[in-house]
Amino acid sequence: MDKKTAQHFVEFRNVRKVYKMGEVSIEALHDVSFSIEKGEICVIVGPSGAGKTTLLNILGGMDGLTSGQVFLDGAEVSAFSKRELASYRRYDVGFVFQFYNPIQNLTAVENVELATQICRKPLSYLLAVALTILFALVVALLLYFKLDKIDMAYSLKAIE
């Protein structure tokens, strides 16, 4: 796609999303238009059911839209094929979920390594990043939280 078509880093143009359940239609997004510049911090707020998750799922390529256009860095995400969406989700966007559910029979490093299996970077690089992040997490726990507030058994299990 020609980058001149979208002038902003993130751009939603007249986006509409309708969920159909049998004969019932629920409009989650109605004519949503906004833009975000590269490096700009944006907060999406609203009451439950306002469409915040729907909006993020569309931007993340996890859900389609009913009408309108969505651009990220000049590429029209809303026009991607299934194969392009899979590549986009794998290499270009990421989600940080409110709750992280690690695989219980893996160590902390193995859980982080698992996520690296879909990355293009060399495994040695990713392992170094994973270890750095985990080390920083343990240090932060020890430095900033009172020891009686840290579940030491869990913390020690994560370091195994």
Side-chain angles (χ1 to χ4, degrees):
M1 161 138 244
D2 182 5
K3 290 211 179 216
K4 293 178 183 162
T5 351
Q7 297 145 357
H8 309 282
F9 187 65
V10 174
E11 189 170 353
F12 274 58
R13 292 183 188 165
N14 307 104
V15 172
R16 184 171 181 252
K17 174 64 180 180
V18 177
Y19 291 101
K20 294 191 182 235
M21 294 184 284
E23 294 184 24
V24 177
S25 295
I26 298 172
E27 190 170 40
L29 299 175
H30 175 77
D31 197 31
V32 174
S33 295
F34 68 90
S35 61
I36 303 169
E37 302 306 323
K38 193 167 196 155
E40 184 177 1
I41 295 174
C42 175
V43 178
I44 301 169
V45 295
S48 178
K52 301 177 299 290
T53 300
T54 300
L55 186 136
L56 291 172
N57 284 342
I58 290 172
L59 181 61
M62 294 176 13
D63 201 356
L65 46 81
T66 304
S67 63
Q69 296 175 293
V70 175
F71 298 88
L72 179 69
D73 200 18
E76 186 178 356
V77 176
S78 52
F80 283 174
S81 67
K82 286 185 180 186
R83 182 176 291 270
E84 290 170 317
L85 278 172
S87 178
Y88 171 72
R89 287 188 301 261
R90 186 173 190 176
Y91 299 118
D92 297 319
V93 296
F95 281 85
V96 177
F97 293 98
Q98 186 172 359
F99 299 104
Y100 172 64
N101 296 310
I103 298 171
Q104 294 299 316
N105 63 338
L106 297 180
T107 66
V109 172
E110 289 169 334
N111 269 281
V112 174
E113 283 178 337
L114 187 62
T116 67
Q117 299 301 310
I118 62 169
C119 295
R120 291 181 178 154
K121 300 257 186 200
L123 188 57
S124 58
Y125 168 80
L126 295 169
L127 182 57
V129 169
L131 289 172
T132 301
I133 291 168
L134 291 170
F135 180 75
L137 176 64
V138 170
V139 169
L141 281 172
L142 295 173
L143 288 176
Y144 296 105
F145 290 90
K146 295 191 185 307
L147 292 179
D148 65 336
K149 300 295 183 200
I150 299 174
D151 181 347
M152 291 307 285
Y154 184 77
S155 298
L156 292 174
K157 183 179 183 208
I159 303 172
E160 299 179 335

